Amino acid sequence: PVAALQRPTSFGQASSRSAVVAKLHGGQPTPRSRSRSSMASAAAATAAATAASLLLISPGAAMAETSWPLSFTGDYTDPLHPGCERHIEVEPVAKDGVFIAHYTGTAVGPKDDTVLRGCSPEEIEKYTLRQGSFDATIRKGVISAGDGIHEGKWDGNSPGIRWEDGNKWTKIKVRSPQDEAGEQLGKFVFLAYIGVSFAAGIKGVADRLASGANQ
């Protein structure tokens, strides 16, 4: 009995013992081999979940979550004044939780004209182009110029500013370094997932071949 419990000391003894164990399990994979296969499957599943989560969250998106008032910075389209420039620049440092924004843009016709016009070449030639600007504050997603006109909120459904008069400026998408980094990270994670899955598959085939050889 003592000798039977001793660990094999040679390759021949190890092979013989593996064959006996395989026969005792009816030629099926042993608990240890099943455990190794389960661990490989679990590792592949974990890699898949990690890949999916990283592909859904890019560095650019994470930055927008933590510094969203700066998301107001950019160029916009204005459906009530097509072709006219709409640009907002937000100062990067807030004071007492308030950000300062600077607007610059273009329009045609007199400043107090209530007629809605665009900035097409024909309209510019007829009514002349003029520049406009104002400063505003941003607090908790609300932008206000304090003039009773330019008061609005950030609309994240399709990024832009929803003004109190119902008009919405839609932000023009510009590819940023964060977007590029996010795409590169996504490609890397996808390739890593493919590599882990391939390795897990090879491991499973090797285990089955080893189990068959021991029968």
Side-chain angles (χ1 to χ4, degrees), residues 92-142:
V93 180
K95 183 177 181 180
D96 297 328
V98 178
F99 286 80
I100 303 299
H102 307 285
Y103 162 81
T104 56
T106 58
V108 297
K111 182 176 181 180
D112 298 326
D113 191 353
T114 58
V115 178
L116 300 179
R117 298 188 178 95
C119 293
S120 66
E122 295 77 15
E123 290 170 306
I124 292 175
E125 182 179 2
K126 184 175 181 179
Y127 301 103
T128 69
L129 185 71
R130 61 181 173 84
Q131 303 290 326
S133 65
F134 63 79
D135 292 337
T137 59
I138 299 176
R139 182 197 294 267
K140 296 182 179 180
V142 176

Side-chain angles (χ1 to χ4, degrees), residues 44-155:
T46 301
T50 302
S53 63
L54 289 176
L55 286 173
L56 290 174
I57 303 177
S58 70
M63 179 170 290
E65 289 289 340
T66 58
S67 58
W68 64 265
L70 301 183
S71 297
F72 279 86
T73 293
D75 295 300
Y76 297 80
T77 59
D78 181 351
L80 298 184
H81 303 277
C84 297
E85 296 178 5
R86 300 285 182 266
H87 179 77
I88 292 179
E89 187 75 25
V90 182
E91 294 183 7
V93 180
K95 183 177 181 180
D96 297 328
V98 178
F99 286 80
I100 303 299
H102 307 285
Y103 162 81
T104 56
T106 58
V108 297
K111 182 176 181 180
D112 298 326
D113 191 353
T114 58
V115 178
L116 300 179
R117 298 188 178 95
C119 293
S120 66
E122 295 77 15
E123 290 170 306
I124 292 175
E125 182 179 2
K126 184 175 181 179
Y127 301 103
T128 69
L129 185 71
R130 61 181 173 84
Q131 303 290 326
S133 65
F134 63 79
D135 292 337
T137 59
I138 299 176
R139 182 197 294 267
K140 296 182 179 180
V142 176
I143 183 170
S144 173
D147 58 5
I149 300 174
H150 300 99
E151 316 288 331
K153 296 181 179 180
W154 182 256
D155 185 348

Side-chain angles (χ1 to χ4, degrees), residues 51 53-62 175-190:
S53 63
L54 289 176
L55 286 173
L56 290 174
I57 303 177
S58 70
R175 291 180 62 81
S176 67
Q178 290 78 19
D179 294 327
E180 296 287 349
E183 288 188 4
Q184 294 300 320
L185 177 61
K187 292 178 181 179
F188 172 79
V189 172
F190 176 74

